[in-house]
Amino acid sequence: MGEGIAPKPPGPDAPHERKEGTPDVLKPTQVRLVAPPEVPMVELLGEGDHLLKLIEDQFESDIAVRGNEITITGEISEAQAVSALFSELIVLLEGGDHLTPDSIDRAIDMLKRGECSPSSVFADVILTHRGKSIRAKTAGQKRYVDAIRSHTITFGIGPAGTGKTYLAMAMAVDALKRKEVGRIILTRPAVEAGEKLGYLPGTLYEKVDPYLRPLYDALFDMMDIEKSTTLTERGVIEVAPLAFMRGRTLNDSFVILDEAQNTSPEQMKMFLTRLGFGSKIVVTGDVTQVDLPAGALGLKQVRGILTDVEDVAFVELYSRDVVRHRLVQRIVTAYSRYEEARAPRPAPDSGDA
């Protein structure tokens, strides 16, 4: 018999036999994309690549950039996610947006949650004033804005810093500019527990002004003070305590009730029934910051009453929708966990004796 020929060692592409009980080793995937020549790479990656480093910190994949070509190497689903992120960022730059660490963080969060396309959120500009664009910055805020557009009454419920009042104000100013409404009415419960103003010094307007000041602050962010003052004097913009709404019918108006967690059930019913023809109402509140005494609360109660009523929307916003300082988001989350831990739990069902 002739000598046997020794088998060649398997090549790198040959199938290998896996011993039972050993894990599969996933082969890295490479995904390449090329940024259009009109997109400056420094805008995409940031000065000194600081935006690229933010992205690299959020993913395990290796990201290599050469010219305007980006190569992502890693586990297939993550590599595709990173590629999708860069594609979204390129769309934003092509639309004239400027990328920031905050917008990068929010885009990554939206993609990881599978909520919606970041470019569809950031590209939806509600209002522009003095070169500043006012828009939704999270998927939750986008749902809120869309609900206001498509419903006559919208409730925005969520913690501080989620843009409930600010975005509603932007929608109101935009509606006024487009002549969709003839006036804006902004209202709040003046004080806790039913607007007891008598013990405060000054005239009635001096008494209620501190409680309404946050509404003015938001308004002045979107309109010149001189113009807003003129419109206020003409009655086109009205800022008043909730008690002033009683007995009125509000036609052709964009009406915002802020701090609605401090309304009683009777006040909430009174306010909602002020709705007139051609008007839109937005109600905002944070059920975790209630100043009323214990008992039935208007904002909590109304959801159970109107949930199934047509043309009424309820939108929940969460700590991930906070758009103030990042620390505010962490504070809101920490308080939510603390309150959940303290909440009484139902006793286990012991069954029939």
Side-chain angles (χ1 to χ4, degrees):
M1 296 177 62
E3 288 184 7
I5 299 174
K8 292 181 180 180
D13 297 326
H16 64 279
E17 201 173 302
R18 184 174 64 86
K19 291 183 181 180
E20 197 172 328
T22 60
D24 282 321
V25 178
L26 295 175
K27 192 174 180 180
T29 296
Q30 276 197 343
V31 180
R32 289 186 180 88
L33 72 154
V34 178
E38 62 271 17
V39 173
M41 294 305 287
V42 69
E43 290 287 328
L44 181 62
L45 306 178
E47 292 282 352
D49 291 347
H50 75 281
L51 297 179
L52 174 61
K53 289 170 185 172
L54 280 177
I55 296 171
E56 289 175 326
D57 288 344
Q58 296 279 351
F59 296 95
E60 294 183 4
S61 297
D62 179 67
I63 305 171
V65 181
R66 186 168 187 171
N68 66 338
E69 182 178 283
I70 303 169
T71 304
I72 303 119
T73 306
E75 189 271 322
I76 183 167
S77 61
E78 187 181 91
Q80 289 173 342
V82 177
S83 175
L85 171 65
F86 276 109
S87 297
E88 289 284 332
L89 299 180
I90 288 169
V91 169
L92 289 170
L93 290 173
E94 288 177 322
D97 282 298
H98 175 67
L99 300 181
T100 65
D102 183 69
S103 63
I104 296 287
D105 279 346
R106 295 191 185 283
I108 291 172
D109 185 61
M110 278 183 251
L111 287 173
K112 284 186 173 182
R113 292 179 182 277
E115 292 179 309
C116 59
S117 157
S119 59
S120 70
V121 174
F122 299 146
D124 186 3
V125 176
I126 302 167
L127 188 70
T128 301
H129 178 59
R130 292 189 172 181
K132 177 186 176 183
S133 296
I134 298 170
R135 67 186 84 193
K137 293 183 179 180
T138 70
Q141 289 189 345
K142 180 70 165 70
R143 286 193 298 271
Y144 177 50
V145 168
D146 288 343
I148 294 173
R149 288 186 176 125
S150 57
H151 294 80
T152 299
I153 298 177
T154 302
F155 290 82
I157 302 170
T162 50
K164 305 180 298 294
T165 305
Y166 197 78
L167 291 173
M169 186 76 75
M171 295 291 288
V173 173
D174 182 59
L176 184 66
K177 287 185 173 182
R178 293 174 181 271
K179 301 189 185 303
E180 294 171 0
V181 296
R183 59 180 173 165
I184 297 172
I185 299 175
L186 313 171
T187 185
R188 268 185 163 197
V191 292
E192 70 278 3
E195 307 167 344
K196 296 178 181 177
L197 304 173
Y199 295 103
L200 297 175
T203 65
L204 179 60
Y205 282 97
E206 288 172 338
K207 294 178 188 199
V208 302
D209 185 73
Y211 298 97
L212 304 177
R213 182 52 49 186
L215 297 176
Y216 285 109
D217 292 343
L219 180 62
F220 295 157
D221 237 15
M222 303 168 196
M223 188 180 290
D224 292 338
I225 294 177
E226 296 80 7
K227 184 174 182 180
S228 62
T229 301
T230 299
L231 293 176
T232 301
E233 290 172 351
R234 289 168 45 197
V236 176
I237 296 176
E238 178 183 350
V239 184
L242 181 58
F244 282 29
M245 300 299 110
R246 193 175 300 277
R248 301 174 62 183
T249 301
L250 307 176
N251 293 314
D252 192 30
S253 304
F254 197 117
V255 191
I256 300 173
L257 169 58
D258 191 34
E259 296 289 324
Q261 73 274 6
N262 288 328
T263 60
S264 67
E266 294 77 19
Q267 287 174 318
M268 180 63 75
K269 180 182 176 183
M270 177 276 291
F271 172 74
L272 294 175
T273 53
R274 301 307 94 200
L275 176 68
F277 294 107
S279 291
K280 191 180 284 284
I281 283 177
V282 179
V283 179
T284 71
D286 176 3
V287 293
T288 68
Q289 293 189 5
V290 179
D291 296 319
L292 287 172
L297 302 175
L299 186 58
K300 286 186 176 181
Q301 185 193 70
V302 72
R303 186 161 196 168
I305 297 171
L306 299 184
T307 294
D308 298 324
V309 173
E310 187 178 352
D311 209 17
V312 176
F314 288 84
V315 180
E316 289 274 2
L317 297 167
Y318 302 95
S319 59
R320 62 178 175 268
D321 298 304
V322 171
V323 293
R324 292 179 185 168
H325 193 288
R326 279 290 182 185
L327 184 56
V328 175
Q329 189 177 72
R330 293 194 284 269
I331 289 170
V332 170
T333 301
Y335 267 97
S336 296
R337 288 173 180 163
Y338 172 75
E339 286 158 6
E340 286 173 8
R342 292 189 63 199
R345 297 181 181 179
D349 187 1
S350 57
D352 294 330

